[in-house]
Amino acid sequence: MNDDADNIEIYRNILKRYKDRGLVPFVGAGLSVPAGFPSWRAFLDIEKDDPSDPLDVASELSTKRGGEHLFQIDVANAFGGKFLPADWNRRASRVQNEAIGLLPKLFRGVVITTNFDRLLEHLYSGAVVAHPGEYSKLNRAVQMGTSAILKLHGCVLKPDSIILTRESYSQAYPDTDKKTDFIIALEKILTNQTVLFLGCSLKDDHTLKQWAKMLTQPEGEGIEHFAIVNCTKTEMPKKRADLGEMNIFPILYNHIRTDDDDKENHDAVRIILERLYRDTNGGQPLNNLPPKNPYFTGRENQLEGLQKTFDDMHAIRVVSGLGGVGKTQTVLEYAHRHLDGYGDGVWWLNAESELDLMQGCREVLIKVGVLDEVKASDIKPDELLNRWQYWLGEHRKRLLIFDNAESEIVVERYMSKKYCGHVLLTTRDASWGGEPTMGLPLMSESEAVEFLLKRTGRKEQQHTWAGVEDVAKRLGYLPLALEQAAAYMRNVEWSFSGYLDMLSGHGLSTLDKDYAKPDEKYYKKIVTTTWQISFDKIKRENNIVSELFNVFAYVDSNNIPLEVFVEHQELMFFVDLQKIDKLCIVDAVALLLRYSLIEREGKDDYLINIHRLVQEIVRDIHKNYADTSYVTCCFKVLYKAVPKNYDSERGTRPLFERVAKHALAATKYYENTCDNNATQKIVGEAYHFVGLGYIETTQFSTAIDVYNSAATVFEKVWGKEQPETASIYGNIAYTYEQQGKFDEALKWYMKALSIKEWMLGKKHQSTAITYNNIANVYQHQGNYSMATEWYEKALAAKEEAFGKEHPNTAITYNNIAITHSIQGDYDKALEWYDKALTILKRKPGKEHTETANTYTNIALVYSEQGRYVEALELCDKALTICESVLGKEHPNTAIKYGSIAYVYKQQGRFDEALKWYSKALTIFEKTLGKEHPETAATYCGIANLYEQQGKYFDAVGVYEEVKAIYEKVFGEKHQLTVSVQVHIARVIDKVRSC
C-alpha cells in the first residue's frame, strides 16, 4: 500500500463516510480468489500481459462449447455450482481472516456483487438475496435491518442468469437509451449511495464506459465513490485521474505478480478493512450487544410497535411473556436495527440479579472510558452506582436494555427515571411496575415454519419441507422450543417428519439432548431449565398455587375453569394445607400471570390458558418421579363436575360445555395411570358421561370418538360379549341415529342386541329397550312395516319385563302412535296415545314432563284433524306442567311453545303463531345455541309460516338458515337437510309462477 498523501486523505474520507453509515461495498471476483475460486481472467486462461478483452474471449469459448447455455453451465460448475452446503461452509471458514471475511463485520446492510459464486451468501447467513428488478425485496430487507446481497450478474444456482460473454453483456447494458433492469439497478446504486469498490480491477473499458454514463449523470452529481485498486506505479497517476472523472477516488496499491504468482494479492484490501474495523469500534456505533441473530424471523408488528412507542425522548417500555417466547431475541433484533439512532450507544444489561447488573454497568463504564479497566474491580458498589447514575444523566441519547429483569426495586436503582433516555426491559412479569407493557405472543404458524426452514438450512430445499408445519404446531409455535428442535435436526441431519415421529414417541425429552442445545450465542437456557426456574419460584412464594398449577397440567390448555376446582376442592389431597376460596384464586392468577405462565381468557375472571408445552413439561416432571397424585386429583374433580343427566337440571348444558374438553383430557391422562379394573371402570364411566354430554350438545362426531374410547375400556375390563359393553355399543348406535346415519346405527344396535339376547335373554328389560330403539331407526327411514314389526317385539318384551302398566312400556305405546300419525292414521294414533297417557298419569304422574309430552303429541294429532280448540287445551295443559316443573326458560318448555305456535299456524292465526315461535326461539338460542337442531326446527316452522302467508322471499331466507344448521350438524345427505332443500325448491317454484 502506498502511504502517500492522496491515499491517506481518501482513507479519511472513507472512514468519515463509513461512520455516517453511508458506504455500500461493491464486491468483485478478486475477493473470492482466497476461497479457491479462479479470477475471471484465470478462468478464461488469459495471460497476465494479454490485452484481450475477457468478454470477447468468453464469447469465443462459448461458441466453441456449442452455445452460451452450455458455457454458462461450465462457468457455474467452476464457481461452485455443484457444491453442497458443507462445501460452501468450508470455503467460508477458509476466508474468515481474508478481506471478504471481514465484510459481514463491517457492512450489515446491502452488499453488491458481480460474482457468480455463493461465498457471500454463506458469509452473510440469513441475508436476503436479490437480482436486478427485485427492488421491493431489497427495500423490505433494508427496512427490517436485514443484510441483503444484490447479485448483478447472476448466480451459479441459475446458470442461465450468468452474464459473461459480449452478447449477454450487451443485452444487459445496451449502447442504446433503453434502460434494462441491470442499468436501472446500477443507476439506483451509483446515483444514490456512496460505493466502495473491492476486488474490482476497474480496468475493463466496456464496464467503465457503462459506469461512466451513470456516475456522471446529474442525479449522481456530488456523490463520491471509493475504490481500493491494484496497479503499477507508472499507471497510478493516470488511474487516479481516469477514475476521478467518474467521481471514484481510489486508494492505489502495487502488487506485482510474478510468473509463479498468477493470483492477484488483495492483502492491501484486507489491511485497509482491518484498519477501518479498528477505527470504528468494530464497525459499529458504541454498544455491547450480543451478536445479531441471523435466524431471527417475524415479529414485525411487535418491532414496529416498539418503535412507535419510543417517539418520546424519555420512555420505558416493558416486553413481557412466557419463558422461551422470544423476548430477548425480539429486543436484541430491535436494538441492532436501531443502533444508528443512539449517539450515546446501546447498552445491554443482564438484570437477573443485582450482581449481574453491577457487573454489566462496570463493563459499560469501562467501554465508554469512565473507568480504568485495571482499577474498575476495586470500586465499591455505592461508588459504582453513583458513577453510573452520573453517566446516565450526562448521556441521554442512549438505549438501555435490562434483560430478564426479576426485581423492580433492584432495576430501578440502575436507571435514571428523570433522564431515562430510552429503556427496554424484558421480564416474565406481565404487570411490571405500571409501565406500558407489550405482551409478546407466540409465533404465528407462518413465522414458525419460516424460522424452522431458515434455522435448519433447508429454506432452498423444498423437497425437504414435508412435516415442517406439523413440527411447528406440535411445539406450540414457541420460539425456544423451535430453536432446540432445529438444532437437533440440523446436528443429526434428521427430517421434519422423522423428528415429528421422535416427538410422538419420546415427547419433549428430545429437547434435553446435547445436540438439541440452542445456539449459545443467542440462548442461555433450554426450555425445561427456563420454566423450571419459574416453577421453583412459585413453589417458594405460594405452595397452594404451585399445587394447583401441577393439577392444571392434565386439562386442556385453553379456557381452564378455575371455579370447578374451587367447588370440588375436597377431592384434592393438598387442600388440607389451605382452603381454596376466591381470594386464593385471585392470588393464584396474579402469581401465575407475574411469571407469564398463564393468560387470561377475555373478561371471564375464572378462565385461564396455559401453553400446552408448559403442561407437558410439568407432566414430564411428574413422570420422572412416578407421581400420579396430580392427575388423580384432576380426574376426580372433573369426573365429579361433568353432568350425569340432562333431564330437569338447569344449567347443565353450559356447565358441560365449560368442562367437557378438560374432563376428556383428564380422563385420557388418568387412563394411562390405571393399573386395575376398578379404576378402569371409572374411566369407562367418565368417557360415557362425556359422550352423553356431546350428544346433548349435538357434537355427534366428537361423541362417537369418546364412545369408541369408552368401548375400548369396557371391552378390556368387561369383555366384548358382556351387557356392560353392549350398553356402550347402544350409545354409539344412538349417536349415529341422531346423525341420520341409520345403517351404521342399525349395525351397532344389532351388535348390542346379539350380546343382550345371548347374555340376558329376549325378555330382559335392556333387550326390550334395544328392540324399541331398532324400531325407531326403521321409523326414521320410513320403513314403517319394519318399524311396526320391531315395536311389536319391543312391546311384547316390555310387557313381560316391565309390565303393561310401566312408564317404559308407555314409551313404546307412544312410538307406535307416532308411526300411525306419520302415516295419517290418526284414529289409531290416538288409540295408542290414550294407552300411553293412562299409564303415565298413574306413574310417573299427571304433573310429570313425560305426561306433558304425551299431551302435546295428542294435541298435534287433534290439529291435523282440525280440532284446534281441543288441541290448544292440551297444549296449555302440557305447558303448565313444564313451566311448573322445569321453568319458563327450559328447552322442553320451549318445545311446548313451538307446539302451540304450530296449532295456531294450522288454524291460520299467523300473528299468534309467530308470537309463540318467537318465544320458543328466544329460549332455544339462549339455552341450546343458534346452531342446535331444535333451534333450526323452530326456524323451519317460521319459514313455513311465511310460506303460507305468501311471503316467499322471507321464507327462502329462513329456510336457507335452517339448511346451513342442518348441514353443519348432520351433513348434506341427512333426511332433514334434504327435506329443507325440497322446501326451498318448492318456494322458489311458487315465486316463479307468481
Side-chain angles (χ1 to χ4, degrees), residues 447-699:
E447 288 175 338
V449 167
E450 173 80 5
F451 173 80
L452 284 173
L453 294 175
K454 191 187 293 185
R455 180 67 176 87
T456 55
R458 301 172 189 174
K459 191 172 181 182
E460 296 179 4
Q461 303 167 27
Q462 194 165 350
H463 63 283
T464 67
W465 292 4
V468 63
E469 293 93 348
D470 296 325
V471 171
K473 183 178 180 180
R474 172 65 179 81
L475 295 174
Y477 311 118
L478 184 80
L480 182 53
L482 297 170
E483 160 66 24
Q484 288 192 245
Y488 183 104
M489 288 182 278
R490 185 159 187 161
N491 288 332
V492 302
E493 298 184 357
W494 210 255
S495 68
F496 292 115
S497 299
Y499 185 73
L500 193 64
D501 291 339
M502 289 282 288
L503 284 174
S504 299
H506 301 280
L508 297 184
S509 62
T510 57
L511 299 183
D512 292 329
K513 301 294 183 185
D514 285 344
Y515 31 82
K517 286 184 178 178
D519 192 323
E520 293 180 353
K521 292 196 298 290
Y522 313 110
Y523 305 90
K524 304 305 179 188
K525 298 182 181 73
I526 62 175
V527 168
T528 49
T529 305
T530 296
W531 289 339
Q532 187 64 59
I533 293 169
S534 297
F535 301 157
D536 292 342
K537 288 182 177 179
I538 288 170
K539 189 170 183 65
R540 286 196 296 272
E541 290 190 43
N542 191 322
N543 189 58
I544 198 77
V545 173
S546 174
E547 298 285 33
L548 275 172
F549 190 71
N550 277 281
V551 172
F552 296 158
Y554 296 95
V555 296
D556 190 85
S557 59
N558 293 319
N559 297 325
I560 301 168
L562 300 177
E563 80 283 356
V564 170
F565 294 88
V566 175
E567 185 176 347
H568 301 291
Q569 59 185 282
E570 75 281 356
L571 299 172
M572 295 187 285
F573 68 90
F574 51 83
V575 169
D576 290 342
L577 303 173
Q578 176 186 331
K579 181 176 172 57
I580 303 175
D581 54 20
K582 287 187 176 180
L583 185 60
C584 180
I585 290 299
V586 170
D587 289 342
V589 170
L591 185 55
L592 295 172
L593 278 173
R594 195 195 319 159
Y595 289 98
S596 294
L597 287 173
I598 65 169
E599 292 178 348
R600 297 300 292 270
E601 183 57 37
K603 297 179 180 179
D604 193 319
D605 292 336
Y606 284 93
L607 289 182
I608 62 170
N609 299 333
I610 303 176
H611 193 282
R612 53 190 174 80
L613 285 196
V614 174
Q615 292 176 300
E616 192 169 348
I617 292 291
V618 175
R619 293 195 299 270
D620 283 349
I621 293 170
H622 297 164
K623 184 178 179 181
N624 291 338
Y625 289 98
D627 185 351
T628 61
S629 59
Y630 296 107
V631 67
T632 302
C633 271
C634 190
F635 172 75
K636 285 181 177 180
V637 167
L638 289 161
Y639 177 80
K640 184 77 177 288
V642 74
K644 307 302 186 291
N645 68 72
Y646 299 83
D647 292 339
S648 59
E649 298 177 53
R650 299 184 191 184
T652 49
R653 288 174 185 81
L655 173 60
F656 174 79
E657 290 172 347
R658 200 165 173 93
V659 303
K661 60 183 180 179
H662 305 293
L664 186 57
T667 302
K668 288 178 179 178
Y669 290 126
Y670 185 64
E671 181 183 1
N672 294 329
T673 70
C674 295
D675 54 4
N676 59 67
N677 277 0
T679 50
Q680 285 284 351
K681 286 178 184 177
I682 298 172
V683 166
E685 290 174 7
Y687 280 131
H688 162 66
F689 290 126
V690 174
L692 180 65
Y694 279 123
I695 291 174
E696 188 67 25
T697 54
T698 69
Q699 298 178 63

